[in-house]
Amino acid sequence: MKKDKILVIGACGQIGVELTLALRKIYGESNVLASDLREEHELLKGTGPYVSLDVMNKEMLHVLVIRHNITQIYLLAAILSATGEKNPLLAWHINMQSLLNVLDIAKEEHLDKVYWPSSIAVFGPNSPMQDTPQHTIIEPTTIYGISKFAGERWCEYYNHRYGVDVRSLRYPGLISYKSAPGGGTTDYAVEIFHEAKEHKKYTSFLSENTYLPMMYMPDAIRATIELMEADASKISIRSAYNLSAMSFSPKEIAAEIKKHIPDFTISYEPDYRQQIADGWPNSMDDSQARTDWGWKPEFDLAKMTKDMLDHI
Ligand code: NAD
Ligand code: AKB
């Protein structure tokens, strides 16, 4: 069993629940402290320690890190793209200050490692849409994307200037069944499964041919842990790595679901989230992650769809 003491912030969210459970398997239940603003998630109950924490309270966070001898922080608390557009100043404040609090404490307490996720949302309408490269035009137009881009710069700065071992991935839209998504533009690709199972129909808030990069949660969790366990000498990107698994449109995922639920139907009523999606890449080039630390996805659209429908 490894000796690290890990703090997961935002542990009750879509990624946090599954990441906390996965980390507890590797590092031991008592060595992974889960925290969130919310009440403890049902799936976390009884699996290890939990504390209520507002990451915006730097003093409380600092005390917690010292008191529990924390050596690694996974910061997952954030306001996502769709919610962010409803309150841009709040999204900027929370997304930036939470990261600065964590990076600064990591510097002061000489933490071993920090994980903070970025997103495909760093890219904007002027970025190449197909196989978007690691290094290219980055001009995000959502407040969420702007905060992710600024966050990437802060991560690289803290690494280069202070030696903080901070690592990051530009996740695509994540699809999962254990915990619900929290206010993103890619959430349709989760909702569609629940509606297909319950009502055999779904109205998509994105238009039929809107292609976005997507990933199944088991791949995302594995990528996160593989990145964090990679030897530091292999990490050439200290902002955030492009990460990719699949790309599909609402029409394509509906066709895949129809193979399992033949009377499933889809209709389209695009809303304000269409504009957000239109500014994001259709697909991503993640060759740097593959070269540096051996990233390889396991789930494509067909395999993911079957697994989702088997589990919901
Ligand atoms: P989520 O909204 O499901 O979960 C975030 C969690 O943070 C929630 O449980 C919330 O209660 C908690 N939180 C919010 N403010 C807090 C605060 N002040 N203090 C403590 N906790 C607080 O988000 P998620 O989908 O799990 O995303 C986690 C991270 O991954 C975010 O940085 C997000 O931008 C990034 N990301 C997610 C996706 C995706 O598809 N889910 C894709 C790209 C990037
Ligand atoms: C969102 O849609 O906001 C997230 C993301 C891709 O960052 N799922």
Side-chain angles (χ1 to χ4, degrees):
M1 198 68 71
K2 306 192 177 184
K3 290 258 183 311
D4 310 75
K5 275 275 194 179
I6 296 177
L7 173 63
V8 182
I9 303 171
C12 297
Q14 190 193 5
I15 301 171
V17 170
E18 297 203 38
L19 187 58
T20 301
L21 293 173
L23 289 170
R24 283 179 173 161
K25 273 201 188 131
I26 299 170
Y27 293 92
E29 292 177 356
S30 59
N31 293 323
V32 180
L33 178 58
S35 73
D36 203 293
L37 271 183
R38 300 194 219 177
E39 258 184 47
E40 187 175 15
H41 193 282
E42 277 305 312
L43 292 178
L44 293 183
K45 285 183 181 163
T47 71
Y50 182 80
V51 287
S52 177
L53 172 75
D54 182 353
V55 66
M56 303 298 280
N57 187 335
K58 190 177 175 189
E59 255 175 61
M60 286 291 289
L61 175 62
H62 204 155
V63 167
L64 196 77
V65 165
I66 293 170
R67 189 176 290 157
H68 291 268
N69 299 313
I70 297 298
T71 60
Q72 296 188 22
I73 296 181
Y74 286 69
L75 170 58
L76 304 172
I79 293 193
L80 277 74
S81 59
T83 310
E85 289 311 291
K86 292 186 181 152
N87 197 338
L89 291 182
L90 181 73
W92 172 258
H93 181 55
I94 290 187
N95 292 358
M96 292 321 325
Q97 199 55 51
S98 58
L99 177 61
L100 291 174
N101 287 353
V102 167
L103 287 175
D104 217 46
I105 290 169
K107 179 190 93 180
E108 279 187 43
E109 298 305 325
H110 306 287
L111 298 194
D112 290 344
K113 282 178 207 166
V114 172
Y115 179 75
W116 169 84
S118 184
S119 161
I120 54 162
V122 287
F123 298 108
N126 295 327
S127 311
M129 289 280 159
Q130 302 295 347
D131 292 328
T132 308
Q134 176 73 42
H135 299 289
T136 185
I137 296 170
I138 295 190
E139 293 172 358
T141 49
T142 62
I143 197 64
Y144 174 67
I146 295 170
S147 72
K148 288 298 183 190
F149 184 39
E152 288 188 4
R153 298 288 90 220
W154 275 111
C155 287
E156 194 184 88
Y157 184 85
Y158 265 76
N159 176 261
H160 289 181
R161 176 106 202 249
Y162 305 118
V164 174
D165 188 349
V166 52
R167 305 177 182 199
S168 179
L169 297 169
R170 290 173 178 155
Y171 289 134
L174 300 181
I175 297 158
S176 65
Y177 58 87
K178 289 190 182 160
S179 42
T185 304
T186 58
D187 295 8
Y188 92 85
V190 179
E191 288 172 12
I192 194 169
F193 285 103
H194 292 275
E195 294 298 310
K197 274 266 180 143
E198 277 172 46
H199 304 113
K200 297 194 163 73
K201 61 179 184 188
Y202 179 64
T203 303
S204 169
F205 58 76
L206 297 183
S207 63
E208 57 184 330
N209 291 320
T210 307
Y211 281 83
L212 287 170
M214 298 280 187
M215 180 174 282
Y216 198 31
M217 191 61 88
D219 270 343
I221 300 297
R222 191 169 51 78
T224 308
I225 290 171
E226 283 178 9
L227 171 73
M228 288 298 276
E229 296 210 325
D231 195 276
S233 62
K234 294 194 166 157
I235 311 296
S236 69
I237 305 283
R238 288 299 181 161
S239 49
Y241 279 95
N242 278 8
L243 190 71
S244 173
M246 61 186 105
S247 165
F248 57 77
S249 63
K251 191 175 168 184
E252 283 185 0
I253 192 175
E256 195 59 41
I257 290 172
K258 236 170 141 44
K259 290 181 188 167
H260 302 265
I261 306 174
D263 46 351
F264 172 68
T265 59
I266 185 165
S267 56
Y268 304 93
E269 283 178 20
D271 65 14
Y272 70 100
R273 289 168 281 194
Q274 184 65 46
Q275 202 185 347
I276 301 176
D278 286 343
W280 288 355
N282 298 341
S283 59
M284 304 272 284
D285 172 0
D286 63 357
S287 46
Q288 192 75 52
R290 290 172 189 249
T291 305
D292 282 6
W293 43 277
W295 165 242
K296 197 165 181 278
E298 278 177 9
F299 285 86
D300 59 12
L301 176 58
K303 196 170 168 193
M304 181 266 294
T305 301
K306 183 177 182 319
D307 204 63
M308 279 293 282
L309 291 172
D310 284 349
H311 284 96
I312 285 175

